[in-house]
Amino acid sequence: MTAVSLAQRPDLIRIASWIQPKSDVLDLGCADGKLLAYLQQTKQVHGTGIERDPEAVVASVRRGVAVVQQNLEEGLALFENQHFETVVLSKTLQSMLNTEHILREMARVARYGIVSFPNFGHWSHGLSILAGRMPVSKEMPYEWYNTPNIHLCTLRDFEDLAKALGLRITDRVVFNGKNEVNWLPSLRGTLAVYRFESPFAHS
């Protein structure tokens, strides 16, 4: 099997670093299965992906990834409570119709959840709005009329929602391109990655 590299995606490298070897991992919206294939090769995880795009499902299977073709909006009823160690939702949260529902489902099926999303609080977005236009950026490359992003948020917005849902944030990293941002991340970061613990983990 061809070795998988995450060199072009530092956010996925960080996500991978938070996942325990030989654990059970669920990747929601797994696309071509690259993250799970990498984890299977480097950490011997037991991985399952969910993806609705037929071509992406085929690409995942070719990488040796077990994948279920399903729309995430339908929930995760296929899986029992706390079945996984970690569930990942990468760059998909902002396109979900029911954000609270998918976060609750993530907390139900796994001890840890990892989410990443574009940071709408980046300073350039404010300038775009002041100039009378919706922001367009590398992390949000769509025009207002064709964007799949329907629930954009800032870092504080997500942290407030996580608290309201009882999700305990354990880790956070913010990127601008390939670089981590530690100074003024709410204004300077373009992509946020969070890891949280489910409130059901110890019940």
Side-chain angles (χ1 to χ4, degrees), residues 91-154:
K91 293 187 175 182
T92 305
L93 185 69
Q94 72 281 357
S95 65
M96 299 296 299
L97 289 172
N98 194 331
T99 306
E100 291 182 61
H101 178 65
I102 194 62
L103 288 172
R104 286 194 180 100
E105 281 288 85
M106 290 174 71
R108 180 183 67 79
V109 302
R111 177 176 183 180
Y112 294 104
I114 298 175
V115 297
S116 66
F117 54 87
N119 172 32
F120 196 66
H122 188 266
W123 65 268
S124 65
H125 298 160
L127 286 184
S128 293
I129 292 171
L130 286 173
R133 294 189 177 277
M134 285 295 290
V136 177
S137 65
K138 183 177 179 182
E139 294 295 344
M140 298 191 301
Y142 303 95
E143 297 291 345
W144 67 270
Y145 54 84
N146 64 4
T147 180
N149 299 326
I150 56 177
H151 286 143
L152 296 166
C153 68
T154 66

Side-chain angles (χ1 to χ4, degrees), residues 5 50 100 103 144 149 179 181 195:
S5 172
I50 292 183
E100 291 182 61
L103 288 172
W144 67 270
N149 299 326
N179 300 314
V181 178
R195 181 177 185 252

Side-chain angles (χ1 to χ4, degrees), residues 49-55 57 67-71 74 78:
I50 292 183
E51 176 58 49
R52 68 178 180 180
D53 179 63
E55 293 184 5
V57 170
V67 60
V68 177
Q69 187 173 357
Q70 180 181 317
N71 188 330
E74 298 172 4
L78 287 172

Side-chain angles (χ1 to χ4, degrees), residues 4-7 9-19 25-49 59-60 63-66 86-91 114-116 193:
V4 177
S5 172
L6 301 180
R9 291 283 305 275
D11 56 315
L12 292 186
I13 293 174
R14 177 52 64 95
I15 289 172
S17 75
W18 290 338
I19 293 176
V25 177
L26 177 64
D27 189 0
L28 306 178
C30 66
D32 62 1
K34 181 175 287 187
L35 175 62
L36 282 179
Y38 175 83
L39 291 170
Q40 288 174 175
Q41 290 180 10
T42 61
K43 292 195 169 186
Q44 293 75 54
V45 305
H46 307 287
T48 303
S60 294
R63 291 186 189 275
V65 171
T86 303
V87 56
V88 179
L89 185 69
S90 174
K91 293 187 175 182
I114 298 175
V115 297
S116 66
V193 189

